Amino acid sequence: MVANRPHDARFNMAVRWELPAGTLLDDGLASLRLLIERHEILRTRFAESPGEPPTQVVDRRGVHPVLIVDAAGQDRGGSPVDPVRDLAARRFEPTQEYPARFCVAVLDGRALWLGAALSHLAVDAAGTEILRRDLRAAAARMAGAPDPEPGRPAVLQPLDQAEGEQSSAGRAASRRAAELWRQALTGTPASLPEAPSLPAADPAFPARLLCARGLGARAQELADRLDVGISAVFIGAATAALAAHQGVDAQSVVVTCGNRMARRMAGYAGTVAQQGVIRLDSLGAPASDVITRTWEALLTVHESSAYEPADVNRVLRELTGKPHVGHYVNFVEEHVPLHPTEVFQALGRDAWVTVPGPTVTSSFLRYGLTLVANQEDVVLRMFADGRLMSATAIDGVLDGVRTRVAGSRPL
């Protein structure tokens, strides 16, 4: 997040949480107040010193402005409406403001839903679900109703998490993670090669989307046959496609880890997701072998993600001259129709097409590859610094992933 400044607004999350029918505006605001009281991360700022990681500062009290939205004529269902996205479109200034902006939609004096723009510096995707659950409980309390999800876990607060990370066990885990990064990156390309002779690129990198009907079902069949998770099919295929693009037989890729295996994380809304790294060698091996080894690597990748950034940054500077690798490869499993819906609606059975995607603004990333699948379909999204990778080359990598999953050639 810090390294991506001033282009970190793209990491902000826009969410909308429905309130119980008939909730009065004052009760909706009171429910939000209870949520903020319960989760210190919503009243946390980040003090900074040059060359040092941000320091969390939790306020005992503070003020959260709430935008009141006239809900007349707006659909109660569906995705977050424009006011929420508008709040999320602006970057947060973590030294001066809390990592959340709120709005509430009102119709005839009743609060319909609460919208939130959340900084990823403070809250991750799993944390948004914890906040939603606790808001429901707060709204039920205000209405005098029973907790809709009794037995909710106690809240782990940010300073509790920081204390664990700085403990002897936490520091040992961080050193171990840094060593795993060293092992993964030694002798493999850390990212796309540099191109120092080319002019500086516009930080808004164009993206490409490959939309494929039926590829999700094909990947699931392959995963079931090999007794692995579907993520291994896509990440294994993506790693092999990236290696083929660079003409190498071994490749390291960075993946995002949720880091919520420990029971104490069940009530923690703060960000614990961090990047881990996996390395795959002998990528010319049969598909079943590569996918199985990918699954084995993914089962332990969390060990490389439990680190203090300074520890891994030292390793990266030593190996690459930079404090970051500048890429990610992530898999997302969905259970809803994929976007862009109009593209999928126009595709026939087992058909696929590559189309332009929205630009991605980044300060240091060289490329990003997101693999999204539901039970039937797939959308592969990739952006890259145009100095290092042309749109044609991006299309080649995306098609390499597709053909490897489809089974038309070995990994």
Side-chain angles (χ1 to χ4, degrees):
M1 292 295 297
V2 173
N4 266 285
R5 294 176 184 170
H7 307 300
D8 51 341
R10 71 184 184 87
F11 294 101
N12 294 344
M13 294 172 287
V15 296
R16 192 178 80 172
W17 300 313
E18 301 295 327
L19 293 168
T23 298
L24 296 174
L25 175 58
D26 287 347
D27 288 343
L29 295 175
S31 300
L32 175 59
R33 184 178 300 110
L34 290 174
L35 185 72
I36 295 170
E37 290 174 355
R38 179 175 173 85
H39 291 281
E40 292 179 357
I41 195 64
L42 298 177
R43 40 193 167 90
T44 294
R45 294 174 292 104
F46 294 85
E48 298 181 5
S49 300
E52 297 293 330
T55 299
Q56 297 177 101
V57 179
V58 179
D59 289 347
R60 291 182 179 273
R61 57 180 59 87
V63 176
H64 264 292
V66 179
L67 175 67
I68 306 299
V69 178
D70 181 4
Q74 293 187 350
D75 184 6
R76 187 178 170 87
S79 59
V81 295
D82 288 343
V84 190
R85 295 196 182 279
D86 288 345
L87 291 175
R90 295 181 286 111
R91 67 180 303 270
F92 284 89
E93 180 45 66
T95 62
Q96 300 174 16
E97 65 175 317
Y98 296 132
R101 303 181 184 120
F102 297 106
C103 65
V104 60
V106 178
L107 182 64
D108 297 331
R110 307 286 178 172
L112 302 183
W113 49 261
L114 177 75
L118 302 166
S119 168
H120 199 20
L121 185 63
V123 180
D124 58 22
T128 65
E129 178 59 22
I130 292 169
L131 294 175
R132 181 204 63 79
R133 180 196 65 201
D134 288 351
L135 179 69
R136 286 186 64 210
R141 174 179 167 184
M142 293 306 303
D147 191 331
E149 298 182 52
R152 289 176 298 130
V155 174
L156 182 73
Q157 301 292 4
L159 298 184
D160 299 326
Q161 173 66 8
E163 183 179 9
E165 292 174 351
Q166 296 301 319
S167 67
S168 57
R171 295 296 302 140
S174 182
R175 291 190 294 271
R176 168 63 176 158
E179 180 58 28
L180 291 173
W181 278 78
R182 182 187 302 279
Q183 295 171 12
L185 295 177
T186 299
T188 67
S191 189
L192 298 175
E194 292 282 4
S197 62
L198 295 178
D202 186 328
F205 301 152
R208 303 286 290 171
L209 310 180
L210 189 151
C211 305
R213 279 281 193 190
L215 195 62
R218 166 63 184 141
Q220 189 61 63
E221 292 172 2
L222 188 56
D224 291 343
R225 177 164 59 84
L226 297 175
D227 195 23
V228 301
I230 191 174
S231 59
V233 175
F234 283 101
I235 292 179
T239 305
L242 288 164
H245 169 71
Q246 299 184 77
V248 298
D249 193 45
Q251 180 77 34
S252 297
V253 294
V254 170
V255 298
T256 301
C257 303
N259 290 334
R260 289 186 175 267
M261 294 76 65
R263 182 174 299 180
R264 67 192 182 96
M265 292 296 177
Y268 184 53
T271 295
V272 288
Q274 279 199 136
Q275 291 181 324
V277 63
I278 65 171
R279 171 179 177 149
L280 295 176
D281 296 281
S282 303
L283 286 167
S288 59
D289 176 64
V290 173
I291 292 171
T292 299
R293 286 188 284 117
T294 302
W295 183 238
E296 292 170 352
L298 290 174
L299 290 176
T300 59
V301 68
H302 65 276
E303 296 177 6
S304 67
S305 70
Y307 56 82
E308 281 293 308
D311 291 339
V312 169
N313 289 351
R314 280 193 292 270
V315 171
L316 295 177
R317 285 189 183 279
E318 178 184 334
L319 295 178
T320 71
K322 296 179 178 292
H324 47 72
V325 292
H327 82 265
Y328 63 81
V329 177
N330 286 333
F331 172 75
V332 179
E333 187 171 11
E334 293 282 12
H335 301 281
V336 296
L338 300 183
H339 292 277
T341 54
E342 66 278 8
V343 173
F344 280 98
Q345 289 169 354
L347 289 176
R349 182 182 177 87
D350 296 328
W352 61 276
V353 66
T354 304
V355 298
T359 58
V360 175
T361 303
S362 179
S363 302
F364 77 91
L365 285 170
R366 300 180 195 175
Y367 74 86
L369 176 54
T370 304
L371 317 155
V372 185
N374 61 18
Q375 289 111 332
E376 290 293 330
D377 304 325
V378 168
V379 58
L380 311 175
R381 302 171 181 156
M382 186 172 186
F383 69 88
D385 186 333
R387 297 173 298 167
L388 309 178
M389 202 171 187
S390 66
T392 301
I394 293 175
D395 288 353
V397 170
L398 294 178
D399 194 53
V401 178
R402 181 191 67 83
T403 55
R404 285 166 169 83
V405 174
S408 59
R409 60 189 170 104
L411 287 176

